[in-house]
Amino acid sequence: MAAAAQPAAALLQPLPGGLWRGSFEAMASPCELLMERAGEPGLGSDDEEAARRLLQIACDEVRRIERKYSRYRSDSELARWHRAAAGQPGQPVQVDEESAGLLDLAALCHQLSGGRFDISSGVLREVWRFDGSDRLPTPDAVARVAARVGWARIGWQRPLLTLPPGMELDLGGLGKEYAADRVLTLLRAEGQRTSRDRPLLINLGGDLVASGPRSDGSPWYVGIEQPIGQTPQADPDPTQPAHPAAPAGLIALKTGALATSGDARRFLLRDGVRHSHILDPRTGWPVQGAPRSVTVAAPTCTEAGLLSTLAMLQGEGAEALLAAQGLPHWVLR
């Protein structure tokens, strides 16, 4: 684990339909910012400069959150917690206000899900590799790692966190959605500061949030990815993701957020049985009966992401959980 290399700069280009498209890579995902243009897309125009400013704010914020909570960086806040736990077992580490908010949310989700949502379950990656192969770990290997999972064993009294030896936290189940909401907040503030508020759509690897409808009142149109093996093409390759030109559905989003959880790219396939990368932290094994994908619309991306994940963790009960929330959702099996 080491500090990451310098990432590539964000790119801006004009699109048909009166839009600017900003793009950059972060959190191991393609990130995109669509912004309505004010006037013609002339290079060097005042509007282009303003769009670049918004794009840079978005890029900087997403990468800030990635640096802070990455489990792959030795200089992240997460790494500091783990070093403290290893260096002084049983001693608490103090976390900042932003981290405390995320830990409070994780604790609430653990409670509401009956233990199915657990940010201490990231250590299961030591034995699970969802690379499309047929390599399942042995039950003994899973049991050894699963013994280090369990939010209930972690001491959390805001702002003090105590991790038992050998346990780790992973905020990957919250990070992108939280970053999308943060970016929207910052871009709205910048629009108010400059009196140049404009409709925009933020897309962080498929987790999206819109500031509102387009200027003419029309929605943003978002496609739902077709699960592998359900594309209309002849003889599809089950080890490859579906072609992006064949969405399973098209959603008109005027405001709020969309988030999707599924196994389109991360799974194992053995003896004709597909094993989803959605793991039950209580057992260490893939959730049985989970949908191929769940998409949820909610006021914020954090809410949408949590509900889509919780639905996947419910397996056969995904639809019942979503129906009880009363929010728009789309389930593919």
Side-chain angles (χ1 to χ4, degrees):
M1 187 167 61
Q6 189 69 20
L11 300 175
L12 183 73
Q13 65 184 120
L15 289 183
L19 293 172
W20 290 107
R21 177 182 183 270
S23 60
F24 58 93
E25 291 280 338
M27 298 183 172
S29 299
C31 301
E32 183 179 53
L33 175 61
L34 297 180
M35 302 165 276
E36 279 206 1
R37 287 199 311 259
E40 293 303 311
L43 292 176
S45 68
D46 181 51
D47 191 58
E48 181 191 11
E49 183 178 339
R52 287 192 184 280
R53 168 69 179 159
L54 294 177
L55 175 58
Q56 196 59 53
I57 290 172
C59 181
D60 289 348
E61 180 64 2
V62 176
R63 287 177 174 170
R64 178 192 71 80
I65 294 170
E66 180 181 27
R67 286 193 303 273
K68 185 170 182 176
Y69 296 113
S70 172
R71 65 176 182 261
Y72 300 110
R73 296 178 62 114
S74 60
D75 57 351
S76 71
E77 178 72 357
L78 208 61
R80 184 178 75 85
W81 301 348
H82 296 158
R83 280 196 302 272
Q88 294 182 303
Q91 294 300 308
V93 59
Q94 183 166 334
V95 308
D96 63 16
E97 187 66 19
E98 181 177 45
S99 301
L102 290 172
L103 291 172
D104 282 345
L105 181 60
L108 178 62
C109 290
H110 180 266
Q111 177 186 358
L112 295 177
S113 67
R116 292 180 174 87
F117 185 94
D118 194 325
I119 61 171
S120 72
S121 65
V123 293
L124 293 170
R125 68 180 178 278
E126 295 177 10
V127 293
W128 287 101
R129 300 283 188 276
F130 294 99
D131 55 4
S133 71
D134 64 350
R135 295 187 291 272
L136 266 65
T138 66
D140 285 348
V142 173
R144 280 195 299 273
V145 180
R148 294 157 51 201
V149 176
W151 173 259
R153 296 164 53 201
I154 292 172
W156 171 234
Q157 287 290 330
R158 178 191 269 256
L160 299 178
L161 174 70
T162 306
L163 284 172
M167 292 188 69
E168 298 180 4
L169 298 184
D170 183 350
L171 295 172
L174 303 169
K176 272 194 299 183
E177 296 88 343
Y178 171 68
D181 289 333
R182 280 284 307 160
V183 168
L184 179 59
T185 298
L186 294 179
L187 297 189
R188 279 176 165 160
E190 177 67 7
Q192 293 173 358
R193 185 186 72 80
T194 59
S195 300
R196 299 183 70 164
D197 205 6
R198 69 177 80 202
L200 51 85
L201 179 72
I202 299 155
N203 176 7
L204 305 186
D207 295 324
L208 305 99
V209 61
S211 64
R214 300 285 304 271
S215 294
D216 61 2
S218 62
W220 304 89
Y221 289 99
V222 180
I224 301 177
E225 190 176 63
Q226 186 79 252
I228 299 167
Q230 295 184 11
T231 60
Q233 68 193 67
D235 199 20
D237 182 351
T239 67
Q240 298 298 315
H243 192 283
L250 203 60
I251 297 172
L253 180 67
K254 281 197 169 184
T255 189
L258 287 175
T260 299
S261 295
D263 66 355
R265 292 182 172 83
R266 299 177 59 206
F267 60 92
L268 293 174
L269 193 64
R270 185 165 183 172
D271 298 331
V273 178
R274 186 187 181 87
H275 299 272
S276 164
H277 77 281
I278 305 293
L279 296 173
D280 188 333
R282 301 170 303 174
T283 65
W285 288 87
V287 173
Q288 299 298 308
R292 301 295 298 277
S293 81
V294 172
T295 299
V296 176
T300 70
C301 202
T302 301
E303 292 171 274
L306 286 172
L307 276 175
S308 63
T309 299
L310 292 177
M312 291 292 291
L313 287 167
Q314 288 290 328
E316 297 287 355
E319 286 88 345
L321 179 140
L322 292 166
Q325 308 309 309
L327 292 170
H329 58 271
W330 298 262
V331 177
L332 299 177
R333 287 190 177 272

